[in-house]
């Protein structure tokens, strides 16, 4: 059973401000059967994913609907910061862009699911990324999250002090996801992921409003990340996400499709339809895992 190891919290009086609700008998009953938490950056992506799962899982009865309808209810609509849908035993939740907003969400999801006395919950991030040395359209299942300083750990700052936390994703969950991708015929690889606090300069992009480095310096940095650290994609969350899940003792995985090979340039060079097809690949792989677990 999930537990919050924080003696400063009175669970009965706690409130999950950014989710928009707090402890109650109804909340516990609603969430106690959750086994998967699927998260992605965009509200629309996770709303679409909830609807897709609803179809794939044949409209499970333990989904949460708008009253008197079969329309899935956004459980965090009142607060307006994230979206959250419950489809059977799965939550589909948006986490915003970058580690700070995602870390707020994880804190409150951990507290919510511990209050609901959930067990054996798997946390999976799905999204897009820039590839390193692999073709666009390849789906990556992360082994370990690296920082933009190429450190294989997440650095948490608390009260002016830095503490480093292990940022490995769960090996068994990664193997299951790769097996699901193989069954679907999805082009997938496992590798390390770099997570940055910004989209432009920190990722070595040349196309931001400002740039303080040369194309040669960019390429030297990307080659070092790939060749010395085994990094095959870049995004903005996995380093923190894996570390938080390890601290809370839950299994985590990141499944992100690559939309370009950063070794060849910074631009996405596919059609709108091609991009949408790539974007669906991680969703389909994770849905296959959820379906196969039932």
């Amino acid at each position: 059973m999930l537990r919050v190891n924080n003696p400063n919290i009175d669970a009965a009086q706690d409130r999950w401000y950014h989710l928009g609700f707090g402890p109650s008998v109804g909340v516990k009953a609603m969430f106690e059967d959750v086994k998967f938490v699927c998260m992605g950056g965009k509200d629309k992506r996770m709303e679409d994913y909830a609807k897709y799962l609803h179809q794939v899982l044949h409209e499970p009865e333990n989904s949460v609907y708008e009253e008197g309808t079969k329309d899935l209810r956004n459980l965090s609509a009142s607060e307006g910061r994230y979206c959250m849908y419950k489809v059977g035993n799965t939550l589909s939740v948006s986490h915003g862009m970058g580690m700070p907003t995602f870390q707020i969400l994880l804190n409150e999801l951990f507290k919510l699911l511990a209050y609901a006395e959930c067990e054996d919950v798997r946390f999976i991030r799905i999204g897009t990324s820039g590839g390193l040395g692999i073709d666009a359209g390849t789906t990556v299942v992360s082994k370990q999250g690296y920082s933009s300083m190429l450190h294989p750990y997440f650095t948490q700052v608390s009260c002016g002090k830095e503490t480093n936390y292990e940022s490995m994703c769960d090996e068994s969950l990664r193997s299951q996801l790769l097996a699901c991708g193989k069954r679907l015929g999805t082009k997938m690889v496992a590798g390390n992921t770099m997570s940055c606090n910004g989209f432009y300069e920190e990722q070595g992009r040349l196309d931001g409003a400002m740039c303080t480095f040369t194309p040669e310096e960019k390429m030297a940095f990307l080659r070092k990340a790939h060749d010395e650290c085994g990094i095959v994609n870049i995004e903005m969350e996995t380093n923190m996400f894996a570390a938080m899940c390890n601290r809370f003792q839950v299994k985590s995985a990141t499944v992100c499709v690559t939309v370009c090979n950063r070794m060849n340039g910074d631009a996405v060079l596919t059609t709108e339809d091609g991009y949408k097809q790539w974007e669906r690949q991680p969703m389909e792989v994770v849905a296959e895992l959820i379906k196969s677990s039932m």
Side-chain angles (χ1 to χ4, degrees), residues 251-279:
K251 294 180 178 181
S252 71
T254 293
V255 188
C256 282
V257 69
T258 57
V259 297
C260 64
N261 181 355
R262 293 288 313 288
M263 296 294 199
N264 298 333
D266 298 334
V268 178
L269 301 176
T270 189
T271 63
E272 183 177 349
D273 287 343
Y275 187 91
K276 288 179 179 179
Q277 184 177 350
W278 287 345
E279 197 174 33

PDB file of all heavy atoms in Angstrom, residues 251-279:
ATOM      1  N   LYS A 251       6.809   2.236  -9.200  1.00  0.00           N
ATOM      2  CA  LYS A 251       7.443   1.977 -10.484  1.00  0.00           C
ATOM      3  C   LYS A 251       7.123   3.101 -11.464  1.00  0.00           C
ATOM      4  O   LYS A 251       5.992   3.575 -11.529  1.00  0.00           O
ATOM      5  CB  LYS A 251       6.960   0.637 -11.050  1.00  0.00           C
ATOM      6  CG  LYS A 251       7.397  -0.563 -10.228  1.00  0.00           C
ATOM      7  CD  LYS A 251       6.898  -1.863 -10.840  1.00  0.00           C
ATOM      8  CE  LYS A 251       7.378  -3.058 -10.029  1.00  0.00           C
ATOM      9  NZ  LYS A 251       6.913  -4.350 -10.623  1.00  0.00           N
ATOM     10  N   SER A 252       8.133   3.472 -12.253  1.00  0.00           N
ATOM     11  CA  SER A 252       7.943   4.552 -13.221  1.00  0.00           C
ATOM     12  C   SER A 252       8.522   4.173 -14.571  1.00  0.00           C
ATOM     13  O   SER A 252       9.461   3.378 -14.655  1.00  0.00           O
ATOM     14  CB  SER A 252       8.588   5.853 -12.741  1.00  0.00           C
ATOM     15  OG  SER A 252      10.007   5.759 -12.791  1.00  0.00           O
ATOM     16  N   ALA A 253       7.956   4.769 -15.606  1.00  0.00           N
ATOM     17  CA  ALA A 253       8.485   4.615 -16.963  1.00  0.00           C
ATOM     18  C   ALA A 253       8.169   5.878 -17.745  1.00  0.00           C
ATOM     19  O   ALA A 253       7.149   6.533 -17.501  1.00  0.00           O
ATOM     20  CB  ALA A 253       7.869   3.405 -17.663  1.00  0.00           C
ATOM     21  N   THR A 254       9.041   6.219 -18.674  1.00  0.00           N
ATOM     22  CA  THR A 254       8.785   7.283 -19.637  1.00  0.00           C
ATOM     23  C   THR A 254       8.817   6.692 -21.032  1.00  0.00           C
ATOM     24  O   THR A 254       9.770   5.992 -21.389  1.00  0.00           O
ATOM     25  CB  THR A 254       9.821   8.413 -19.522  1.00  0.00           C
ATOM     26  OG1 THR A 254       9.666   9.077 -18.267  1.00  0.00           O
ATOM     27  CG2 THR A 254       9.625   9.438 -20.634  1.00  0.00           C
ATOM     28  N   VAL A 255       7.749   6.971 -21.797  1.00  0.00           N
ATOM     29  CA  VAL A 255       7.629   6.471 -23.164  1.00  0.00           C
ATOM     30  C   VAL A 255       7.388   7.677 -24.067  1.00  0.00           C
ATOM     31  O   VAL A 255       6.302   8.250 -24.072  1.00  0.00           O
ATOM     32  CB  VAL A 255       6.464   5.470 -23.303  1.00  0.00           C
ATOM     33  CG1 VAL A 255       6.471   4.821 -24.687  1.00  0.00           C
ATOM     34  CG2 VAL A 255       6.525   4.410 -22.215  1.00  0.00           C
ATOM     35  N   CYS A 256       8.417   8.092 -24.795  1.00  0.00           N
ATOM     36  CA  CYS A 256       8.334   9.296 -25.625  1.00  0.00           C
ATOM     37  C   CYS A 256       8.767   9.001 -27.056  1.00  0.00           C
ATOM     38  O   CYS A 256       9.823   8.389 -27.274  1.00  0.00           O
ATOM     39  CB  CYS A 256       9.229  10.409 -25.068  1.00  0.00           C
ATOM     40  SG  CYS A 256       8.532  11.270 -23.657  1.00  0.00           S
ATOM     41  N   VAL A 257       7.984   9.460 -28.011  1.00  0.00           N
ATOM     42  CA  VAL A 257       8.374   9.341 -29.407  1.00  0.00           C
ATOM     43  C   VAL A 257       9.309  10.497 -29.758  1.00  0.00           C
ATOM     44  O   VAL A 257       9.198  11.596 -29.201  1.00  0.00           O
ATOM     45  CB  VAL A 257       7.135   9.336 -30.323  1.00  0.00           C
ATOM     46  CG1 VAL A 257       6.444  10.698 -30.334  1.00  0.00           C
ATOM     47  CG2 VAL A 257       7.491   8.898 -31.735  1.00  0.00           C
ATOM     48  N   THR A 258      10.261  10.248 -30.639  1.00  0.00           N
ATOM     49  CA  THR A 258      11.152  11.312 -31.100  1.00  0.00           C
ATOM     50  C   THR A 258      10.570  11.938 -32.363  1.00  0.00           C
ATOM     51  O   THR A 258      10.122  11.231 -33.265  1.00  0.00           O
ATOM     52  CB  THR A 258      12.553  10.767 -31.399  1.00  0.00           C
ATOM     53  OG1 THR A 258      12.458   9.716 -32.362  1.00  0.00           O
ATOM     54  CG2 THR A 258      13.197  10.222 -30.134  1.00  0.00           C
ATOM     55  N   VAL A 259      10.578  13.272 -32.410  1.00  0.00           N
ATOM     56  CA  VAL A 259       9.981  13.972 -33.558  1.00  0.00           C
ATOM     57  C   VAL A 259      11.044  14.572 -34.473  1.00  0.00           C
ATOM     58  O   VAL A 259      10.719  15.187 -35.491  1.00  0.00           O
ATOM     59  CB  VAL A 259       8.994  15.060 -33.085  1.00  0.00           C
ATOM     60  CG1 VAL A 259       7.827  14.427 -32.330  1.00  0.00           C
ATOM     61  CG2 VAL A 259       9.686  16.101 -32.208  1.00  0.00           C
ATOM     62  N   CYS A 260      12.315  14.405 -34.114  1.00  0.00           N
ATOM     63  CA  CYS A 260      13.431  14.810 -34.973  1.00  0.00           C
ATOM     64  C   CYS A 260      14.689  14.141 -34.446  1.00  0.00           C
ATOM     65  O   CYS A 260      14.701  13.626 -33.326  1.00  0.00           O
ATOM     66  CB  CYS A 260      13.609  16.334 -34.993  1.00  0.00           C
ATOM     67  SG  CYS A 260      14.055  17.062 -33.395  1.00  0.00           S
ATOM     68  N   ASN A 261      15.734  14.123 -35.253  1.00  0.00           N
ATOM     69  CA  ASN A 261      17.057  13.696 -34.804  1.00  0.00           C
ATOM     70  C   ASN A 261      17.882  14.963 -34.628  1.00  0.00           C
ATOM     71  O   ASN A 261      18.275  15.595 -35.608  1.00  0.00           O
ATOM     72  CB  ASN A 261      17.705  12.764 -35.826  1.00  0.00           C
ATOM     73  CG  ASN A 261      19.085  12.276 -35.389  1.00  0.00           C
ATOM     74  OD1 ASN A 261      19.610  12.704 -34.359  1.00  0.00           O
ATOM     75  ND2 ASN A 261      19.671  11.389 -36.166  1.00  0.00           N
ATOM     76  N   ARG A 262      18.147  15.339 -33.394  1.00  0.00           N
ATOM     77  CA  ARG A 262      18.827  16.603 -33.113  1.00  0.00           C
ATOM     78  C   ARG A 262      20.243  16.649 -33.690  1.00  0.00           C
ATOM     79  O   ARG A 262      20.815  17.732 -33.836  1.00  0.00           O
ATOM     80  CB  ARG A 262      18.866  16.853 -31.605  1.00  0.00           C
ATOM     81  CG  ARG A 262      17.508  17.123 -30.939  1.00  0.00           C
ATOM     82  CD  ARG A 262      16.951  18.502 -31.285  1.00  0.00           C
ATOM     83  NE  ARG A 262      17.938  19.531 -31.149  1.00  0.00           N
ATOM     84  CZ  ARG A 262      18.405  19.987 -29.961  1.00  0.00           C
ATOM     85  NH1 ARG A 262      17.944  19.529 -28.821  1.00  0.00           N
ATOM     86  NH2 ARG A 262      19.333  20.937 -29.938  1.00  0.00           N
ATOM     87  N   MET A 263      20.794  15.515 -34.024  1.00  0.00           N
ATOM     88  CA  MET A 263      22.109  15.498 -34.669  1.00  0.00           C
ATOM     89  C   MET A 263      22.044  16.096 -36.073  1.00  0.00           C
ATOM     90  O   MET A 263      23.051  16.565 -36.610  1.00  0.00           O
ATOM     91  CB  MET A 263      22.645  14.065 -34.758  1.00  0.00           C
ATOM     92  CG  MET A 263      22.898  13.407 -33.411  1.00  0.00           C
ATOM     93  SD  MET A 263      24.229  14.195 -32.476  1.00  0.00           S
ATOM     94  CE  MET A 263      24.620  12.894 -31.308  1.00  0.00           C
ATOM     95  N   ASN A 264      20.845  16.079 -36.664  1.00  0.00           N
ATOM     96  CA  ASN A 264      20.668  16.574 -38.032  1.00  0.00           C
ATOM     97  C   ASN A 264      20.022  17.949 -38.103  1.00  0.00           C
ATOM     98  O   ASN A 264      19.932  18.533 -39.189  1.00  0.00           O
ATOM     99  CB  ASN A 264      19.815  15.587 -38.835  1.00  0.00           C
ATOM    100  CG  ASN A 264      20.468  14.227 -38.960  1.00  0.00           C
ATOM    101  OD1 ASN A 264      21.685  14.110 -38.908  1.00  0.00           O
ATOM    102  ND2 ASN A 264      19.663  13.184 -39.104  1.00  0.00           N
ATOM    103  N   GLY A 265      19.529  18.476 -36.972  1.00  0.00           N
ATOM    104  CA  GLY A 265      18.881  19.778 -36.978  1.00  0.00           C
ATOM    105  C   GLY A 265      17.841  19.868 -35.883  1.00  0.00           C
ATOM    106  O   GLY A 265      17.498  18.874 -35.233  1.00  0.00           O
ATOM    107  N   ASP A 266      17.323  21.082 -35.687  1.00  0.00           N
ATOM    108  CA  ASP A 266      16.388  21.332 -34.589  1.00  0.00           C
ATOM    109  C   ASP A 266      14.922  21.293 -35.017  1.00  0.00           C
ATOM    110  O   ASP A 266      14.030  21.251 -34.169  1.00  0.00           O
ATOM    111  CB  ASP A 266      16.676  22.704 -33.959  1.00  0.00           C
ATOM    112  CG  ASP A 266      18.069  22.781 -33.349  1.00  0.00           C
ATOM    113  OD1 ASP A 266      18.603  21.720 -32.971  1.00  0.00           O
ATOM    114  OD2 ASP A 266      18.623  23.899 -33.257  1.00  0.00           O
ATOM    115  N   ALA A 267      14.642  21.331 -36.311  1.00  0.00           N
ATOM    116  CA  ALA A 267      13.271  21.459 -36.804  1.00  0.00           C
ATOM    117  C   ALA A 267      12.592  20.094 -36.936  1.00  0.00           C
ATOM    118  O   ALA A 267      13.239  19.079 -37.202  1.00  0.00           O
ATOM    119  CB  ALA A 267      13.256  22.166 -38.156  1.00  0.00           C
ATOM    120  N   VAL A 268      11.264  20.098 -36.756  1.00  0.00           N
ATOM    121  CA  VAL A 268      10.433  18.920 -37.011  1.00  0.00           C
ATOM    122  C   VAL A 268      10.025  18.956 -38.476  1.00  0.00           C
ATOM    123  O   VAL A 268       9.368  19.896 -38.924  1.00  0.00           O
ATOM    124  CB  VAL A 268       9.193  18.908 -36.107  1.00  0.00           C
ATOM    125  CG1 VAL A 268       8.306  17.705 -36.415  1.00  0.00           C
ATOM    126  CG2 VAL A 268       9.608  18.912 -34.632  1.00  0.00           C
ATOM    127  N   LEU A 269      10.398  17.920 -39.231  1.00  0.00           N
ATOM    128  CA  LEU A 269      10.248  17.957 -40.685  1.00  0.00           C
ATOM    129  C   LEU A 269       9.245  16.929 -41.195  1.00  0.00           C
ATOM    130  O   LEU A 269       9.436  16.323 -42.231  1.00  0.00           O
ATOM    131  CB  LEU A 269      11.614  17.723 -41.357  1.00  0.00           C
ATOM    132  CG  LEU A 269      12.710  18.726 -41.008  1.00  0.00           C
ATOM    133  CD1 LEU A 269      14.031  18.328 -41.649  1.00  0.00           C
ATOM    134  CD2 LEU A 269      12.304  20.140 -41.438  1.00  0.00           C
ATOM    135  N   THR A 270       8.152  16.766 -40.493  1.00  0.00           N
ATOM    136  CA  THR A 270       7.108  15.863 -40.954  1.00  0.00           C
ATOM    137  C   THR A 270       5.819  16.648 -41.170  1.00  0.00           C
ATOM    138  O   THR A 270       5.715  17.822 -40.796  1.00  0.00           O
ATOM    139  CB  THR A 270       6.869  14.724 -39.949  1.00  0.00           C
ATOM    140  OG1 THR A 270       5.996  13.750 -40.535  1.00  0.00           O
ATOM    141  CG2 THR A 270       6.245  15.227 -38.653  1.00  0.00           C
ATOM    142  N   THR A 271       4.836  16.005 -41.751  1.00  0.00           N
ATOM    143  CA  THR A 271       3.537  16.644 -41.964  1.00  0.00           C
ATOM    144  C   THR A 271       2.738  16.645 -40.666  1.00  0.00           C
ATOM    145  O   THR A 271       3.085  15.955 -39.696  1.00  0.00           O
ATOM    146  CB  THR A 271       2.740  15.885 -43.032  1.00  0.00           C
ATOM    147  OG1 THR A 271       2.470  14.549 -42.543  1.00  0.00           O
ATOM    148  CG2 THR A 271       3.517  15.800 -44.343  1.00  0.00           C
ATOM    149  N   GLU A 272       1.644  17.400 -40.652  1.00  0.00           N
ATOM    150  CA  GLU A 272       0.777  17.422 -39.473  1.00  0.00           C
ATOM    151  C   GLU A 272       0.216  16.031 -39.192  1.00  0.00           C
ATOM    152  O   GLU A 272       0.160  15.592 -38.041  1.00  0.00           O
ATOM    153  CB  GLU A 272      -0.366  18.418 -39.681  1.00  0.00           C
ATOM    154  CG  GLU A 272      -1.273  18.554 -38.470  1.00  0.00           C
ATOM    155  CD  GLU A 272      -2.365  19.597 -38.665  1.00  0.00           C
ATOM    156  OE1 GLU A 272      -2.306  20.357 -39.657  1.00  0.00           O
ATOM    157  OE2 GLU A 272      -3.287  19.646 -37.831  1.00  0.00           O
ATOM    158  N   ASP A 273      -0.176  15.325 -40.249  1.00  0.00           N
ATOM    159  CA  ASP A 273      -0.698  13.965 -40.075  1.00  0.00           C
ATOM    160  C   ASP A 273       0.392  13.024 -39.579  1.00  0.00           C
ATOM    161  O   ASP A 273       0.137  12.149 -38.740  1.00  0.00           O
ATOM    162  CB  ASP A 273      -1.275  13.440 -41.391  1.00  0.00           C
ATOM    163  CG  ASP A 273      -2.598  14.105 -41.755  1.00  0.00           C
ATOM    164  OD1 ASP A 273      -3.217  14.710 -40.862  1.00  0.00           O
ATOM    165  OD2 ASP A 273      -3.003  14.015 -42.924  1.00  0.00           O
ATOM    166  N   GLY A 274       1.611  13.201 -40.099  1.00  0.00           N
ATOM    167  CA  GLY A 274       2.719  12.377 -39.654  1.00  0.00           C
ATOM    168  C   GLY A 274       3.026  12.594 -38.188  1.00  0.00           C
ATOM    169  O   GLY A 274       3.305  11.639 -37.450  1.00  0.00           O
ATOM    170  N   TYR A 275       2.979  13.851 -37.765  1.00  0.00           N
ATOM    171  CA  TYR A 275       3.233  14.184 -36.352  1.00  0.00           C
ATOM    172  C   TYR A 275       2.182  13.534 -35.456  1.00  0.00           C
ATOM    173  O   TYR A 275       2.511  12.956 -34.408  1.00  0.00           O
ATOM    174  CB  TYR A 275       3.228  15.699 -36.168  1.00  0.00           C
ATOM    175  CG  TYR A 275       3.639  16.154 -34.793  1.00  0.00           C
ATOM    176  CD1 TYR A 275       4.967  16.437 -34.498  1.00  0.00           C
ATOM    177  CD2 TYR A 275       2.699  16.289 -33.762  1.00  0.00           C
ATOM    178  CE1 TYR A 275       5.350  16.841 -33.230  1.00  0.00           C
ATOM    179  CE2 TYR A 275       3.072  16.691 -32.493  1.00  0.00           C
ATOM    180  CZ  TYR A 275       4.402  16.967 -32.236  1.00  0.00           C
ATOM    181  OH  TYR A 275       4.777  17.355 -30.979  1.00  0.00           O
ATOM    182  N   LYS A 276       0.915  13.613 -35.860  1.00  0.00           N
ATOM    183  CA  LYS A 276      -0.158  13.022 -35.059  1.00  0.00           C
ATOM    184  C   LYS A 276      -0.002  11.508 -34.955  1.00  0.00           C
ATOM    185  O   LYS A 276      -0.262  10.916 -33.902  1.00  0.00           O
ATOM    186  CB  LYS A 276      -1.513  13.377 -35.661  1.00  0.00           C
ATOM    187  CG  LYS A 276      -1.908  14.838 -35.479  1.00  0.00           C
ATOM    188  CD  LYS A 276      -3.251  15.135 -36.121  1.00  0.00           C
ATOM    189  CE  LYS A 276      -3.646  16.595 -35.914  1.00  0.00           C
ATOM    190  NZ  LYS A 276      -4.938  16.914 -36.557  1.00  0.00           N
ATOM    191  N   GLN A 277       0.447  10.902 -36.043  1.00  0.00           N
ATOM    192  CA  GLN A 277       0.675   9.459 -36.021  1.00  0.00           C
ATOM    193  C   GLN A 277       1.801   9.105 -35.059  1.00  0.00           C
ATOM    194  O   GLN A 277       1.687   8.145 -34.290  1.00  0.00           O
ATOM    195  CB  GLN A 277       1.004   8.963 -37.421  1.00  0.00           C
ATOM    196  CG  GLN A 277       1.176   7.444 -37.514  1.00  0.00           C
ATOM    197  CD  GLN A 277       1.442   6.976 -38.937  1.00  0.00           C
ATOM    198  OE1 GLN A 277       1.319   7.735 -39.884  1.00  0.00           O
ATOM    199  NE2 GLN A 277       1.829   5.713 -39.067  1.00  0.00           N
ATOM    200  N   TRP A 278       2.893   9.862 -35.085  1.00  0.00           N
ATOM    201  CA  TRP A 278       3.978   9.634 -34.135  1.00  0.00           C
ATOM    202  C   TRP A 278       3.492   9.815 -32.696  1.00  0.00           C
ATOM    203  O   TRP A 278       3.820   9.021 -31.813  1.00  0.00           O
ATOM    204  CB  TRP A 278       5.122  10.606 -34.399  1.00  0.00           C
ATOM    205  CG  TRP A 278       5.925  10.306 -35.620  1.00  0.00           C
ATOM    206  CD1 TRP A 278       5.932   9.146 -36.345  1.00  0.00           C
ATOM    207  CD2 TRP A 278       6.859  11.179 -36.261  1.00  0.00           C
ATOM    208  NE1 TRP A 278       6.813   9.237 -37.391  1.00  0.00           N
ATOM    209  CE2 TRP A 278       7.398  10.479 -37.374  1.00  0.00           C
ATOM    210  CE3 TRP A 278       7.297  12.480 -36.014  1.00  0.00           C
ATOM    211  CZ2 TRP A 278       8.354  11.041 -38.208  1.00  0.00           C
ATOM    212  CZ3 TRP A 278       8.244  13.040 -36.844  1.00  0.00           C
ATOM    213  CH2 TRP A 278       8.765  12.330 -37.945  1.00  0.00           C
ATOM    214  N   GLU A 279       2.722  10.870 -32.474  1.00  0.00           N
ATOM    215  CA  GLU A 279       2.251  11.203 -31.125  1.00  0.00           C
ATOM    216  C   GLU A 279       1.408  10.079 -30.527  1.00  0.00           C
ATOM    217  O   GLU A 279       1.383   9.897 -29.302  1.00  0.00           O
ATOM    218  CB  GLU A 279       1.441  12.504 -31.189  1.00  0.00           C
ATOM    219  CG  GLU A 279       1.237  13.198 -29.879  1.00  0.00           C
ATOM    220  CD  GLU A 279       0.564  14.544 -30.042  1.00  0.00           C
ATOM    221  OE1 GLU A 279      -0.274  14.706 -30.959  1.00  0.00           O
ATOM    222  OE2 GLU A 279       0.864  15.454 -29.250  1.00  0.00           O
TER     223      GLU A 279
END
